[in-house]
Amino acid sequence: MGQIIGIDLGTTNSVCAYMDRNEPRVVINEEGGRVTPSVVGFTKGGDRFVGDIAKRQMLINPDATIHSIKRFMGRRFRDVTSDLRLVNYEVLEAPNGDCVISVNGRTFSPQELAAMVLQKIRKSAEDFLGEAVTEAVITVPAYFTDRQRQATRDAGTIAGLDVLRIINEPTAAALTYVHERQKASTIAVYDWGGGTFDISLLEVNRDVAEVRATRGNNTLGGADIDRRIVDWLLDHFTAQHGIDISQDKIVMQRMRDAAERAKLDLSTAPSTEIHLPFLVSDSDGPKHLQCSLSRTTFETLAEPLFQKTMQECRLALQDARIDVDDIDEVIMVGGSSRIPRVQELARELFGKPLNKSFNPDEIVAIGAAIQGGILEGEIKAITLLDVTNFSLGIEVQGRRFATLIPKNSTIPTQKGQLVSTVVDNQRTVKIHVLQGESSNASENVSLGEFELQNIQPAPRGVPRIQVKFGIDVSGIVSVNAKDLRTGLSGEIQIEAPTGMSKLEIERLRSEADQANKQDEAGQALKQLRNKVEKQLVTLESFLRENHGMLPKQDIFELEQALKRGRMALLKADDDRNLRSLLGYLQRFHQHLTKKLSQQASIH
């Protein structure tokens, strides 16, 4: 077994970590950073960029720069209406009802785009570690549905990774806490990132981390805070100039960028200046935006969002049947947890000083790496007792939802229930598997359905069909139905609720591998061209400096070599010709240098 990496696949940024003997380390990416923006950018020529370079093109090419991918993973299009205001690119509805993203005339599933980010992370890890990486533990928000969890696993598979475990982000943070502290405590993990919010309550000691309850909101993050600032800026600009600029994608991206920077500034300063020159022009000339945003105004704008997270915390305490006085420490995770007002509200609610000794951007990835180390047997096993984040059950007569496994049940677990027919002589029973908390089946998330056929004819209510749910430690749901009278049984495993078949995932994985090889070949060609360019510049400098000492024949040959090199750079599209040219230029340079050296020694 090779090195298992831990990946925090974030809405805004992603982080990768690994275990170095008994110590977790963060992987440094190709740009020398510890975090990688979860951004994929495309050019009209078909080139693709991931990470920092993609984020830099966001202002000038916003409709082909894909960010906040995590907000659309494993979700139906009908459920993402409010999220569309947070992005400039085009999100469409696929034939199966899922979300797809349109870029330059081509559509991508969120899983494909997330896989591109994971490929970038995987390559950074391989370069950093000096070995191939094929296995990973990936974290997800605690309140991700089964569809979203499977979509994350599919993205890892497309990226060429064997995803050994999907674990909750707050639980990963708790693993880091246990690894570092190794003491008995009841802790609250407040995790507010760029796109999601989670609160988990855990009891931990030296070698056990038990989740008591978890709650959250998968559509509440730092991007929503930014949107409040953007709306305020739009109102300010409209009042000043009387112009609606909300439909201009480039202007809106500049607004979002300014809003994010203002939010960061207000974490350390009482106010910040926002200056956006030349936003638009009309007959009267260019229009600028310049204003001051105070921390007080910012907190007023975002207070309803802050209070939503506090309400989730209160509900989690109720679910866990834990009094607030029983909480020993509060661990703050995620970029949005740095906001001063958020920290003030958390201190007021829990009545405890906040533990800010962990880096909120890295603690989750480190926890995932620790889980990988446990799976490898490299470090002492920590028993991880996680819980289901939503109730699991089936649809019964009257389109009602019958819960089999309540939310916050410790996993792995298995539960069963007897069901029967609803009409006389019914020969089949459809088992519709659902996830959610509503008593109305249609308001919950469908995980899949199957039919148990060839039931022995009987009056309604007479057949006895035993339905069993099983959830393993990886969160994979399996369902078994058995007719107790005949012994007839059927079983499904909810493996692809995102609408992607295994065949499609393998096809995308093959395409991703091919695209990655092409990217590597293209990068190698660029590096080779750069070497040729550098050698030509060196020769040009050599000619200028030594023109008076070189024979006319050498000068002529050198000028011809330079001309040949420039022409080759204009038309060369394969590395064989360029490598041959580079070797010739290097040898010619060495020949002339040696010749001048010999002339100097004679004189």
Side-chain angles (χ1 to χ4, degrees), residues 444-506:
N444 295 319
V445 177
S446 173
L447 299 187
E449 57 183 39
F450 74 112
E451 286 188 346
L452 184 65
Q453 300 178 340
N454 299 319
I455 296 173
Q456 198 173 74
R460 67 174 185 171
V462 172
R464 290 290 180 265
I465 300 165
Q466 179 76 40
V467 182
K468 288 185 179 180
F469 264 132
I471 309 177
D472 65 16
V473 292
S474 294
I476 300 299
V477 179
S478 62
V479 186
N480 175 277
K482 182 177 182 180
D483 185 343
L484 298 182
R485 297 173 66 214
T486 65
L488 187 69
S489 66
E491 183 172 353
I492 59 171
Q493 189 167 12
I494 311 298
E495 291 183 330
T498 58
M500 296 184 73
S501 66
K502 287 184 177 180
L503 187 62
E504 185 177 6
I505 291 170
E506 284 304 314

Side-chain angles (χ1 to χ4, degrees), residues 268-282:
T268 55
S271 65
T272 185
E273 293 295 320
I274 300 173
H275 180 45
L276 294 172
F278 302 100
L279 278 180
V280 292
S281 293
D282 61 10

Side-chain angles (χ1 to χ4, degrees), residues 515-528:
N516 196 41
K517 289 176 182 177
Q518 290 176 353
D519 288 344
E520 290 177 357
Q523 187 65 27
L525 185 60
K526 287 179 183 178
Q527 291 174 354
L528 187 55

Side-chain angles (χ1 to χ4, degrees), residues 149-207:
R149 291 168 187 271
Q150 188 60 54
T152 303
R153 182 184 290 275
D154 292 345
T157 302
I158 294 168
L161 290 167
D162 180 9
V163 183
L164 301 179
R165 189 73 57 88
I166 297 285
I167 64 171
N168 292 337
E169 290 166 4
T171 308
L175 281 177
T176 304
Y177 177 91
V178 173
H179 183 76
E180 294 289 333
R181 295 290 187 271
Q182 293 189 345
K183 66 177 183 179
S185 304
T186 300
I187 65 173
V189 180
Y190 180 101
D191 183 358
W192 200 6
T196 59
F197 171 75
D198 289 317
I199 177 68
S200 290
L201 306 177
L202 303 96
E203 290 183 353
V204 301
N205 59 35
R206 294 177 62 88
D207 54 9

Side-chain angles (χ1 to χ4, degrees), residues 36-192:
T36 299
S38 304
V39 182
V40 180
F42 298 87
T43 66
K44 290 183 179 179
D47 290 334
R48 183 183 78 195
F49 306 100
V50 181
D52 289 291
I53 189 170
K55 187 175 181 180
R56 286 196 292 271
Q57 79 154 23
M58 197 179 291
L59 287 175
I60 60 173
N61 196 13
D63 55 352
T65 308
I66 315 303
H67 60 96
S68 301
I69 303 164
K70 194 171 176 179
R71 295 287 285 250
F72 302 102
M73 295 272 286
R75 297 181 68 195
R76 299 290 192 185
F77 180 80
R78 64 173 182 264
D79 299 326
V80 302
T81 306
S82 61
D83 299 87
L84 300 181
R85 298 178 70 240
L86 304 177
V87 300
N88 279 321
Y89 50 84
E90 190 174 16
V91 182
L92 305 174
E93 183 174 10
N96 65 358
D98 286 347
C99 297
V100 291
I101 294 165
S102 177
V103 186
N104 295 339
R106 179 182 171 185
T107 58
F108 298 89
S109 69
Q111 294 94 308
E112 289 178 81
L113 294 164
M116 295 174 192
V117 177
L118 289 171
Q119 277 186 318
K120 161 79 170 176
I121 293 170
R122 177 188 175 189
K123 186 177 185 305
S124 293
E126 289 180 334
D127 291 345
F128 187 79
L129 297 170
E131 61 180 84
V133 172
T134 59
E135 297 174 314
V137 173
I138 302 179
T139 64
V140 295
Y143 234 53
F144 253 24
T145 65
D146 196 74
R147 286 176 55 85
Q148 291 170 303
R149 291 168 187 271
Q150 188 60 54
T152 303
R153 182 184 290 275
D154 292 345
T157 302
I158 294 168
L161 290 167
D162 180 9
V163 183
L164 301 179
R165 189 73 57 88
I166 297 285
I167 64 171
N168 292 337
E169 290 166 4
T171 308
L175 281 177
T176 304
Y177 177 91
V178 173
H179 183 76
E180 294 289 333
R181 295 290 187 271
Q182 293 189 345
K183 66 177 183 179
S185 304
T186 300
I187 65 173
V189 180
Y190 180 101
D191 183 358
W192 200 6

Side-chain angles (χ1 to χ4, degrees), residues 358-427:
F358 299 99
N359 185 322
D361 296 325
E362 299 175 359
I363 184 173
V364 170
I366 288 173
I370 292 170
Q371 177 64 63
I374 294 170
L375 295 176
E376 279 185 304
E378 186 174 319
I379 62 175
K380 180 181 177 182
I382 299 171
T383 302
L384 180 60
L385 301 175
D386 217 331
V387 297
T388 59
N389 50 343
F390 291 100
S391 297
L392 289 163
I394 57 176
E395 181 180 340
V396 295
Q397 187 177 10
R399 297 187 62 79
R400 292 178 295 109
F401 176 62
T403 299
L404 294 185
I405 301 178
K407 67 172 294 183
N408 291 321
S409 297
T410 300
I411 55 176
T413 186
Q414 189 178 64
K415 292 290 176 64
Q417 180 168 311
L418 284 173
V419 299
S420 189
T421 54
V422 294
V423 296
D424 292 341
N425 301 318
Q426 183 176 333
R427 298 300 305 271

